[in-house]
Amino acid sequence: MQDEVYHYNKERWEALAGAEALFTRPMLDLDAEKAQAYLGLERLGIPGDLAGRRVLCLAGGGGQQSAAFALLGADVTVLDISSGQLERDHLAAEHYSVGIRTIQGDMRDLSALDDSSFDLVWHPYSLTFVPDSRIVFREVARVVDEGGHYYLMCANPFFSGLTHHSWNGEGYTLKHPYTDEAATRYPDQDWVYDRKPAGPHIREPLEYRQTLSRIVNSLIREGFMLRLLSEVRGDYPGAEPGSWAHFTGVAPPWLEFVWQYGPASSEGEGVWRQG
């Protein structure tokens, strides 16, 4: 699906990889214990025994999550729009002597993957990079196996486009209508990549609001049952108002969901496909 959205995201993420941005740095100091702690599966209620389990890191290149899952014995596939990001996954695989399969592609088109081929789809922050989340959810429902899990981290839709720069002296001002697919642009945070004067030009994020009702109702219609919802927020007592630390404590910028697919999801059992 190589439309304008695809080309914008591909160009941006290739540039971020070239600049060694935070999300493009492979994790090369993991062991099994660190991998478990990094993924936080126990906190999320996802079974921690990953040996032989089929995991898709969706729009999750960079050699971070893939490395952690592979170290824990999972059969890992990564689909990402950026070849530079996937190079990091290959680097991590070589470093740990594990197998990681990589596919360059768009999260809206998983036609390279077979039906019911994953026990867990792990989808880190990226959903807001496409206008219509329903297309992604339809694809995920096709590739996840019955009883499997879908982990989704995304922007908190109520604060989409809001940053610490929105501080007005009393609070953080909401200005944009709460509508699906509303586009927002804002500068990357200072901690994303090094702002050297001679550094590469990187286009700012172009994101699209996904309302909470569309996210939840679309996944229910696809056959998923919600197992966990977590608001990811900061906890920084005494942080300076108008700082990133203060903003994340007042306006939680991210949500985490854990969904389970198919009839087995209503039983509380059948978490992993046996066989």
Side-chain angles (χ1 to χ4, degrees):
M1 187 179 290
Q2 296 191 11
D3 56 7
E4 184 178 349
V5 171
Y6 173 91
H7 290 294
Y8 190 99
N9 287 325
K10 186 174 187 299
E11 178 185 328
R12 171 171 157 77
W13 278 96
E14 297 294 14
L16 286 168
E20 300 290 334
L22 178 65
F23 313 114
T24 72
R25 303 169 195 166
M27 302 185 79
L28 303 178
D29 61 347
L30 294 172
D31 56 25
E33 184 177 353
K34 290 180 180 177
Q36 284 278 12
Y38 168 63
L39 295 171
L41 300 180
E42 182 176 356
R43 174 181 65 84
L44 297 170
I46 297 175
D49 181 8
L50 294 169
R53 301 308 178 186
R54 305 160 299 168
V55 176
L56 171 63
C57 295
L58 180 59
Q64 299 175 358
Q65 295 98 350
S66 65
F69 281 116
L71 271 174
L72 296 174
D75 178 3
V76 181
T77 299
V78 183
L79 185 140
D80 197 275
I81 202 169
S82 163
S83 60
Q85 282 286 76
L86 295 175
E87 287 174 8
R88 271 62 172 180
D89 294 288
H90 288 296
L91 178 63
E94 182 177 354
H95 178 79
Y96 292 114
S97 298
V98 295
I100 295 175
R101 177 192 180 199
T102 62
I103 301 172
Q104 185 174 0
D106 190 312
M107 72 180 92
R108 297 171 295 173
D109 179 7
L110 304 185
S111 58
L113 303 171
D114 293 334
D115 294 358
S116 306
S117 53
F118 295 98
D119 300 300
L120 171 62
V121 176
W122 188 270
H123 194 176
Y125 188 99
S126 63
L127 187 68
T128 53
F129 299 149
V130 298
D132 192 346
S133 58
R134 294 171 296 185
I135 300 172
V136 180
F137 299 152
R138 194 174 306 127
E139 291 290 280
V140 171
R142 183 181 63 78
V143 302
V144 70
D145 204 357
E146 189 172 297
H149 286 85
Y150 175 37
Y151 166 82
L152 171 66
M153 182 183 189
C154 63
N156 187 330
F158 299 112
F159 307 126
S160 179
L162 203 66
T163 74
H164 59 295
H165 296 299
S166 303
W167 176 255
N168 65 6
E170 296 183 353
Y172 299 96
T173 307
L174 289 169
K175 301 177 182 177
H176 305 292
Y178 186 69
T179 58
D180 279 303
E181 303 183 29
T184 61
R185 295 175 186 260
Y186 54 88
D188 282 304
Q189 303 301 324
D190 293 339
W191 40 264
V192 174
Y193 61 91
D194 191 356
R195 301 298 204 283
K196 292 179 180 177
H201 171 69
I202 299 177
R203 302 171 80 176
E204 64 187 3
L206 172 58
E207 301 192 359
Y208 303 88
R209 190 193 303 273
Q210 316 287 337
T211 62
L212 187 60
S213 58
R214 175 178 280 190
I215 291 172
V216 171
N217 292 326
S218 297
L219 283 163
I220 290 172
R221 281 193 291 270
E222 293 295 341
F224 287 93
M225 175 175 285
L226 182 61
R227 289 301 191 189
L228 177 138
L229 169 61
S230 173
E231 298 162 303
V232 184
R233 57 183 179 270
D235 183 14
Y236 304 98
E240 180 72 21
S243 67
W244 176 254
H246 184 266
F247 168 70
T248 60
V250 173
W254 306 293
L255 299 177
E256 287 180 307
F257 297 89
V258 176
W259 298 84
Q260 196 172 9
Y261 182 69
S265 65
S266 63
E267 301 168 7
E269 301 293 340
V271 172
W272 296 114
R273 182 183 66 87
Q274 300 299 315

